[in-house]
Amino acid sequence: MWTFPRDEQGNVIFKRFKRQGSDWFTSSDAKLIAVLNSTYNTAANSTGIDKPFRDTYVITTPNANWLPQVDLGFQDVRVYHDGRWGATDFAQWPQWYFDEQDHFAYILRKPNPQALEKHPLRYLWFEPELEHFVFMNDGQEVGRFASLVGRELYKLRTALLEEVVNCRCPDGGIQRKLNHLANQMKNTTSTIINTPQSYLDAMYTFTAAQRYCLELHALLDKIKKWDELPPLNKPRPVNNAILGCATDRASVVAGLYAMGVPVWYIRPLNHLTSSMTILKQCDCTSPAEFGINMTPWPGSPSFYTGPLDCGIYKLLQNWQPGAIKRLPLEAISTAGPPADTPINTAAHASRAPCGFDLISNRPRLVEIIDEDFYHQ
């Protein structure tokens, strides 16, 4: 086994090395490399206490210009202060690759402030604030966002729906997924325009509409652009306008790298070889350093706690204001629900990170309105 030197603190040192006879990186090479500072939570560990990796794991990329701090540990999904879902929000942070959500890798990345001002889709990253909210004239606690804000998002919806109508899907399953996303986007954007809500509900609806628009845009791009790329004899230049994804699957890394999609490969340290090219060792970027709001909304309950799972994204895809707290149905008694008990369940995943198999153990769920949370 190839061994790596370590510094006085025991940290692994990756020395720069270029393989002879190759003018570009292979998918297993490291343009950037770092030790992944994370723990891993499996379905067998339902205590909520992260267990350390048995081995040292590393994160590499053959094409991206940064390394995300991927969290494979205990997931705590909750609403953050901007109405989004922090690092578990697939519309703003690279996620773990699951087959059911393979289009997430093509979601547009939020442009830098200078580019955002003139970006034709800039309202997909607009951050709604109380100053943009117009209350009803009769003194009620409900209202709508200013017409300019709602109308701009509605224009984007109209353009996306036209693309959906003209899109030719390769099979019925993808067509159903496309139609479902289009309907979700229509419902949320119509609500923003037509339905008075509390400010909190309106903010959640607005960010949900943005998320549906970004996801629908990504799925359309995948069908019409990425899936139609002809093969080349070398990898395409990386497209830094999209988020990309992380995975432990070599075949996924190879495929996305060939297309120019930002991709990050997670594997045990002892899987690295002495012949791989290593360009640079660097630190991972945290979600907060990436510009993601990681301050929980005061009083926000956990919507999910447990292992990394593709079901997390299904929860976010289908969540609407009103489903504030989710509890196991078995915990509901005639005396009413227990106080503030988050769900802690090992959910089934179609593909578990790093080769682990997750055990399906999902109780039925019931949605309960948390009025105190609504009136924070």
Side-chain angles (χ1 to χ4, degrees):
M1 183 181 70
W2 188 30
T3 59
F4 293 89
R6 295 177 181 264
D7 61 19
E8 295 179 353
Q9 287 74 40
N11 299 314
V12 179
I13 299 174
F14 299 102
K15 293 184 178 180
R16 183 185 177 100
F17 174 79
K18 186 179 185 300
R19 182 178 53 256
Q20 298 299 317
S22 178
D23 294 331
W24 61 78
F25 292 97
T26 68
S27 59
S28 61
D29 288 334
K31 179 182 177 181
L32 299 175
I33 188 171
V35 172
L36 187 64
N37 182 22
S38 179
T39 53
Y40 185 76
N41 179 262
T42 70
N45 173 26
S46 60
T47 63
I49 302 174
D50 284 332
K51 295 179 179 178
F53 281 129
R54 181 180 58 189
D55 302 309
T56 300
Y57 277 68
V58 297
I59 179 171
T60 65
T61 180
N63 60 358
N65 56 11
W66 67 293
L67 297 176
Q69 179 56 54
V70 178
D71 180 11
L72 300 180
F74 194 79
Q75 308 291 309
D76 183 7
V77 181
R78 61 179 63 234
V79 176
Y80 289 83
H81 208 267
D82 59 353
R84 297 178 174 86
W85 301 92
T88 54
D89 194 324
F90 52 81
Q92 60 179 357
W93 179 254
Q95 301 298 320
W96 191 263
Y97 181 93
F98 290 106
D99 291 326
E100 294 180 48
Q101 294 112 2
D102 57 358
H103 58 289
F104 284 179
Y106 310 101
I107 290 178
L108 291 173
R109 176 178 171 177
K110 183 178 180 179
N112 62 53
Q114 293 75 24
L116 184 61
E117 290 182 6
K118 298 181 180 180
H119 199 287
L121 304 178
R122 60 188 177 276
Y123 276 89
L124 294 184
W125 299 281
F126 179 81
E127 297 187 5
E129 301 283 354
L130 187 58
E131 64 187 76
H132 307 120
F133 191 72
V134 180
F135 288 93
M136 302 291 285
N137 293 330
D138 55 5
Q140 297 182 21
E141 295 184 0
V142 297
R144 302 184 185 92
F145 281 109
S147 59
L148 173 63
V149 175
R151 294 294 174 186
E152 289 296 328
L153 198 60
Y154 202 87
K155 289 179 184 177
L156 298 178
R157 154 200 154 133
T158 302
L160 285 170
L161 288 178
E162 184 175 349
E163 286 194 57
V164 170
V165 171
N166 296 325
C167 181
R168 295 184 177 181
C169 294
D171 60 63
I174 295 177
Q175 183 69 62
R176 287 190 294 273
K177 181 186 291 187
L178 192 67
N179 291 341
H180 173 73
L181 272 177
N183 286 331
Q184 294 283 57
M185 181 191 67
K186 286 170 60 178
N187 292 340
T188 49
T189 50
S190 294
T191 301
I192 292 169
I193 296 292
N194 300 317
T195 306
Q197 300 180 90
S198 70
Y199 167 67
L200 197 57
D201 274 353
M203 180 176 66
Y204 292 157
T205 304
F206 195 93
T207 56
Q210 290 174 312
R211 192 160 46 249
Y212 288 131
C213 288
L214 283 165
E215 186 182 358
L216 183 59
H217 187 281
L219 185 55
L220 286 165
D221 268 1
K222 181 180 185 298
I223 297 169
K224 299 166 62 176
K225 173 184 173 182
W226 294 99
D227 288 350
E228 298 299 320
L229 288 177
L232 297 179
N233 58 2
K234 65 178 182 179
R236 286 180 166 80
V238 65
N239 185 335
N240 289 311
I242 56 178
L243 284 174
C245 66
T247 184
D248 65 340
R249 297 162 63 177
S251 59
V252 172
V253 177
L256 295 179
Y257 174 46
M259 292 192 296
V261 178
V263 63
W264 295 274
Y265 189 11
I266 295 176
R267 49 192 153 156
L269 178 64
N270 59 17
H271 284 198
L272 304 184
T273 67
S274 58
S275 62
M276 67 178 288
T277 293
I278 297 178
L279 183 61
K280 183 180 180 181
Q281 182 175 4
C282 68
D283 294 329
C284 292
T285 300
S286 70
E289 292 169 332
F290 193 72
I292 294 177
N293 191 315
M294 296 300 293
T295 303
W297 188 275
S300 170
S302 293
F303 288 76
Y304 170 90
T305 58
L308 180 64
D309 172 36
C310 65
I312 294 175
Y313 307 129
K314 292 180 181 178
L315 172 65
L316 303 192
Q317 284 172 315
N318 296 315
W319 182 85
Q320 297 289 337
I324 290 300
K325 190 179 294 185
R326 294 172 178 269
L327 300 173
L329 187 62
E330 289 78 2
I332 306 301
S333 66
T334 55
D340 202 25
T341 306
I343 176 174
N344 188 343
T345 176
H348 173 71
S350 61
R351 168 76 185 182
C354 302
F356 289 102
D357 291 324
L358 301 186
I359 302 171
S360 179
N361 182 26
R362 187 192 301 276
R364 291 179 296 163
L365 301 179
V366 63
E367 298 177 355
I368 297 176
I369 300 299
D370 186 345
E371 295 293 343
D372 292 335
F373 175 52
Y374 261 106
H375 295 94
Q376 290 289 333

